[in-house]
């Protein structure tokens, strides 16, 4: 469990709101310096420390950094040493040595929570990814299963940003900027370099993690949608300052660096920040607050219309990684095959399911499971979904998709798959069978009305 001195926020009012704002917070009034960032002597005898998420000379609109005012600086620790035992299932540089390529559609069943004591760090494992944290370009997709809280230790990812999607079990996340309570149906973003600890108030927890190298997540442009819709900046929540000052002998910092884990000992908690200000900060978002847009006449919209966050590349409109959701919503399109269409995509798609069912898969895709459809590999609704959809005919009325939350990590890079993911006992080897039953409905004697693009006359 979390330290008893920590009361985790339970309402939105306990956080600051906004996306990309310049925030400020102090746990003790007067702890923030006035008029400058690094005075000769900081208020309350604190140390000033900056954490930078971008290079110093990045354009102002892209520059991210925060100033932390702490009881002891984070540099006060023993040398880092390789963690023992070595974590064998974390990857931050994908190559032929440690991963393989496979264009086949792959689906995984939900992974069981381990019986042996396992915290977030030990329960984290890479599934697939591309690129390299060393070259500052690429991504990794991980999953985790855990059943105990992190004990007298904190984790720091020097490789990239984590976007964590819990599927079962709440996470109490302690960061240097404050505390975040994250429930299934919410996400939390932990930027590169921040130290954090994860406690499990409900016991076992399972979920998904996307990691991006060399860039940060941002809100997608809305284009013709206009000024509103999708994820609203005001619904992103940032912690408020809180701190620990008690002595913590033997406290361990676990640093992920190039996909390997290192540890360093210190005698105090890293969560000793009394005040902070800046725009580089952990944050969370409740997916139920997403405002979906959809077609109101014909055809099924592209999944990009459901993008919550994007990590861009230098090429306009091309994402290193998009985080896309498929929330409850109305389907109203007329004369339209409403589930997602069959397609091949130059992007690669990793899907997960938080709860409920997914509209394109009648069977087999379960909460806590996952699927991977790589670049230009065909995919789409299973046979049951297709047959049930066309059997409903052209006169079905509006239909509301309820009680579901599926998501997708989508990338322009081709993912390499880790061997333990390909060899896992949770691989659904019969996944391909869901499409084998698709039969030909071709009838050359059924000539459509040419002026109606193959559809019957539209009745007013």
């Amino acid at each position: 469990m979390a330290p008893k001195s920590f009361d985790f926020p339970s309402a939105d009012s306990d956080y600051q709101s906004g996306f990309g704002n310049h925030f400020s917070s102090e746990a003790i009034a007067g702890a923030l310096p006035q008029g400058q960032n690094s005075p000769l002597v900081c208020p309350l005898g604190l140390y000033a420390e900056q954490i930078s998420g971008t290079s110093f000379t990045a354009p102002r609109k892209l520059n991210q950094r925060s100033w932390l005012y702490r009881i002891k600086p984070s540099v006060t620790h023993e040398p880092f040493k390789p963690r023992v035992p070595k974590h064998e299932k974390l990857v931050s540089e994908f190559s032929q040595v440690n991963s393989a390529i496979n264009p086949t559609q792959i689906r995984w069943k939900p992974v069981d929570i381990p019986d042996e004591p396992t915290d977030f760090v030990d329960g984290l494992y890479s599934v697939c990814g591309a690129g390299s944290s060393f070259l500052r370009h690429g991504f990794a997709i991980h999953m985790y299963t855990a059943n105990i809280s992190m004990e007298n230790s904190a984790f720091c990812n020097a490789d990239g940003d984590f976007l964590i999607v819990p599927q079962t079990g709440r996470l109490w996340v302690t960061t240097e900027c404050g505390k975040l309570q994250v429930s299934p149906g919410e996400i939390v973003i932990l930027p590169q370099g921040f130290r954090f600890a994860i406690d499990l108030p409900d016991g076992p927890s399972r979920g998904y993690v996307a990691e991006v190298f060399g860039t940060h997540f941002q809100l997608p442009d809305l284009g013709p949608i206009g000024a509103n819709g999708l994820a609203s900046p005001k619904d992103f929540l940032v912690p408020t300052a809180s701190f620990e000052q008690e002595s913590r002998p033997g406290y361990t910092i676990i640093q992920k660096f190039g996909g390997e884990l290192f540890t360093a000992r210190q005698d105090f908690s890293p969560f000793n920040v009394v005040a902070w200000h800046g725009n580089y900060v952990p944050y969370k978002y409740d997916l139920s607050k997403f405002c979906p847009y959809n077609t109101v006449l014909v055809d099924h919209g592209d999944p990009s219309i459901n993008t919550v966050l994007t990590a861009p590349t230098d090429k306009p409109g091309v994402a290193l990684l998009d985080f896309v959701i498929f929330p409850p919503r109305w389907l109203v399109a007329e004369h339209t095959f409403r589930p997602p269409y069959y397609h091949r995509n130059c992007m690669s798609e990793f899907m997960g399911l938080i709860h409920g069912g997914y509209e394109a898969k009648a069977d087999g895709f379960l909460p806590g499971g996952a699927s991977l459809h790589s670049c230009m590999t065909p995919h789409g609704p299973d046979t049951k979904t297709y047959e049930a959809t066309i059997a409903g005919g052209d006169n079905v009325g509006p239909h509301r998709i309820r009680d579901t939350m599926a998501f997708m990590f989508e990338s322009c890079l081709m993912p390499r798959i880790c061997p333990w993911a390909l060899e896992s006992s949770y691989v659904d080897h019969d996944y391909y069978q869901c499409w084998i039953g698709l039969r030909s409905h071709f009838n050359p004697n059924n000539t459509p009305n040419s002026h109606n693009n193959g559809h019957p006359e539209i009745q007013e």
Side-chain angles (χ1 to χ4, degrees), residues 65 165 360 397:
R65 67 92 176 95
V165 186

Side-chain angles (χ1 to χ4, degrees), residues 54-89:
T54 55
S55 63
F56 296 139
T57 54
R60 180 181 286 265
K61 65 179 181 180
L62 301 176
N63 209 297
Q64 296 188 38
R65 67 92 176 95
S66 287
W67 281 90
L68 313 179
Y69 300 93
R70 54 197 323 148
I71 297 171
K72 290 182 70 173
S74 58
V75 71
T76 312
H77 62 77
E78 297 175 3
F80 280 103
K81 300 177 181 179
R83 186 175 187 244
V84 179
K86 185 176 181 180
H87 198 310
E88 301 288 350
K89 293 186 177 181

Side-chain angles (χ1 to χ4, degrees), residues 10 101 172 259 298 316:
S10 58
I101 54 174
W172 281 357
V298 296

Side-chain angles (χ1 to χ4, degrees), residues 140-175:
I141 293 174
H142 317 281
M143 297 184 72
Y144 74 89
T145 54
N147 54 25
I148 60 171
S149 300
M150 293 175 63
E151 183 67 29
N152 211 41
S153 63
F155 190 75
C156 176
N157 182 8
D159 292 333
D161 289 11
F162 271 169
L163 188 162
I164 302 177
V165 186
Q167 185 270 318
T168 185
R170 287 178 299 165
L171 304 180
W172 281 357
V173 186
T174 305
T175 77

Side-chain angles (χ1 to χ4, degrees), residues 50 281 413:
Q50 181 175 262
V281 62
L413 302 183

Side-chain angles (χ1 to χ4, degrees), residues 74-356:
S74 58
V75 71
T76 312
H77 62 77
E78 297 175 3
F80 280 103
K81 300 177 181 179
R83 186 175 187 244
V84 179
K86 185 176 181 180
H87 198 310
E88 301 288 350
K89 293 186 177 181
L90 286 179
V91 180
S92 288
E93 184 171 35
F94 293 85
S95 69
Q96 292 177 330
V97 174
N98 59 19
S99 53
I101 54 174
N102 190 327
T104 301
Q105 305 95 336
I106 303 175
R107 183 162 69 187
W108 291 271
K109 302 171 186 177
V111 176
D112 294 330
I113 304 292
D115 293 326
E116 63 275 10
T118 305
D119 64 13
F120 174 81
V121 178
D122 288 325
L124 187 67
Y125 62 95
S126 306
V127 177
C128 61
S132 166
S133 64
F134 296 96
L135 299 179
R136 311 309 304 136
H137 181 67
F139 73 94
I141 293 174
H142 317 281
M143 297 184 72
Y144 74 89
T145 54
N147 54 25
I148 60 171
S149 300
M150 293 175 63
E151 183 67 29
N152 211 41
S153 63
F155 190 75
C156 176
N157 182 8
D159 292 333
D161 289 11
F162 271 169
L163 188 162
I164 302 177
V165 186
Q167 185 270 318
T168 185
R170 287 178 299 165
L171 304 180
W172 281 357
V173 186
T174 305
T175 77
E176 292 170 274
C177 290
K179 303 177 289 290
L180 297 153
Q181 181 175 176
V182 187
S183 301
E186 296 180 313
I187 60 172
V188 60
I189 289 77
L190 300 168
Q192 177 188 10
F194 273 98
R195 294 175 176 181
F196 64 89
I198 291 183
D199 296 294
L200 308 180
D202 304 325
S205 181
R206 176 177 60 195
Y208 314 83
V209 181
E211 181 181 13
V212 292
F213 311 135
T215 188
H216 301 294
F217 289 101
Q218 63 186 48
L219 291 174
D221 292 331
L222 294 179
I225 292 175
N228 305 290
L230 308 190
S232 173
K234 69 180 178 61
D235 292 326
F236 289 82
L237 301 179
V238 169
T240 55
S242 61
F243 65 95
E244 293 181 353
Q245 59 179 326
E246 298 82 5
S247 175
R248 300 289 290 272
Y251 198 99
T252 302
I253 303 298
I254 305 169
Q255 184 112 332
K256 179 173 172 288
F257 188 84
E260 298 184 25
L261 299 186
F262 298 81
T263 60
R265 295 294 184 93
Q266 59 188 48
D267 60 3
F268 63 97
S269 167
F271 311 121
N272 65 349
V273 178
V274 181
W276 61 268
H277 75 86
N279 62 349
Y280 191 53
V281 62
Y283 56 93
K284 74 168 192 169
Y285 176 72
D286 182 345
L287 300 178
S288 69
K289 295 185 176 180
F290 187 81
C291 179
Y293 275 52
N294 216 330
T295 180
V296 293
L297 187 58
V298 296
D299 290 347
H300 185 98
D302 294 331
S304 51
I305 199 67
N306 290 319
T307 301
V308 180
L309 291 169
T310 182
T313 64
D314 293 336
K315 188 174 182 180
V318 178
L320 175 67
L321 194 84
D322 279 338
F323 174 62
V324 179
I325 65 171
F326 303 96
R329 63 201 185 279
W330 282 96
L331 300 181
V332 301
E334 302 171 354
H335 311 286
T336 292
F337 184 76
R338 290 178 177 174
Y341 44 77
Y342 294 99
H343 69 294
R344 291 173 291 168
N345 193 351
C346 63
M347 307 284 277
S348 294
E349 303 174 2
F350 178 96
M351 284 200 63
L353 184 61
I354 300 172
H355 65 83

